[in-house]
Amino acid sequence: MIKLGCHMSVSKGFANMGRDALSIGADTLQFFTRNPRGSKAKEIDLEDIAEFNKICAENSFGAVIAHAPYTLNPCSKDEKVREFAFETMADDMNRLELIDNVYYNFHPGSHVGQGAQEGIRLIAEVINSAVKPGNKTTVLLETMAGKGTEIGKCFEELKSIMDSVKSGINIGVCMDTCHVFDAGYDIVTDLDGVLREFDSIIGIDRLMALHINDSMNPIGSHKDRHQKIGQGSIGSEAFSRIVNHPYLKRLPMCLETPNELDGYKREIELLRGFAK
Ligand code: FE
Ligand code: FE
Ligand code: ZN
């Protein structure tokens, strides 16, 4: 069975978030490691995290996804912004050691005029100093829509970052369906072709998770506006093929559509209905 969940709030604690996931039929989930705008993470409650680990294990959850704040920009021209990215990532990675089966997903960042190549070098530099080779959490680069000067809008850029990361650091990719579509990859009429391209450039075994979002805009729009499943330009049929694709159905899938919990519950039911 596919592992399906959605983006959730951890504000009432990890165990409560796990219970909320169960209540909507989810068996994975995603949460922000800290407020996307602010910088301070909540204090660690070991009992709460132990309870969360238990809920995940007892209910056969897939890997859960910890999402770094959007304000993290490891390839900023501003050294202070890069320093913040380093400190946040290092602190998040330390905390995530306590969670049993978790990926750490982040947006590679936007370069500020210094070019993609220099941006890629800076991103790898932050990863190399923030992530310790012994960390058990796998770091995931998210595929981006290519809004502005976002890095990660094509598989080649993600591959370059991965190639510049020290050996011993576990690194993979989280594919966001809205983002790859907005970046110009035709997952609607040529899903197989896109995944073959991913395989030849990065290696399909490096694809570790999916963000399941429809898109408000046409292919190649570079907009990054998520839509509810079946109500955007990707459409239900494409999502049916996505959740059944042999390369994808083994991955944890998290919705990031404009919904509250009840809406997520309906979309989880809808997608589980698509899965053969
Ligand atoms: Fe994201
Ligand atoms: Fe996403
Ligand atoms: Zn997005």
Side-chain angles (χ1 to χ4, degrees), residues 2-8 21 26-31 61-67 103 105 140 142 174-178 208-214 226 229 239 242-243 248 251-257 264 267-268 271:
I2 56 169
K3 302 295 178 192
L4 197 56
C6 63
H7 189 86
M8 304 190 84
D27 49 12
T28 180
L29 55 84
Q30 173 175 275
F31 61 93
F61 274 36
V64 298
I65 304 172
H67 197 306
Y103 295 144
N105 176 70
L140 302 184
E142 182 167 348
C174 172
M175 186 183 280
D176 185 309
T177 56
C178 169
M208 317 284 281
L210 290 180
H211 285 164
I212 301 284
N213 305 305
D214 213 325
H226 301 188
I229 301 304
F239 284 108
I242 286 166
V243 299
L248 305 180
L251 305 175
M253 306 178 187
C254 277
L255 292 156
E256 300 173 311
T257 45
Y264 279 133
E267 289 193 344
I268 288 170
L271 290 166

Side-chain angles (χ1 to χ4, degrees), residues 100-142:
D100 284 340
N101 190 15
V102 64
Y103 295 144
Y104 183 54
N105 176 70
F106 71 100
H107 298 177
S110 296
H111 68 81
V112 199
Q114 72 279 50
Q117 213 182 343
E118 173 66 358
I120 287 164
R121 190 187 68 77
L122 292 170
I123 294 162
E125 197 175 87
V126 169
I127 299 171
N128 283 332
S129 39
V131 182
K132 300 185 199 87
N135 283 139
K136 62 178 187 181
T137 304
T138 299
V139 174
L140 302 184
L141 305 168
E142 182 167 348

Side-chain angles (χ1 to χ4, degrees), residues 164-189:
S164 314
V165 162
K166 282 191 292 205
S167 66
I169 291 178
N170 297 317
I171 189 158
V173 172
C174 172
M175 186 183 280
D176 185 309
T177 56
C178 169
H179 297 178
V180 280
F181 185 72
D182 283 18
Y185 290 99
D186 192 355
I187 54 170
V188 174
T189 66

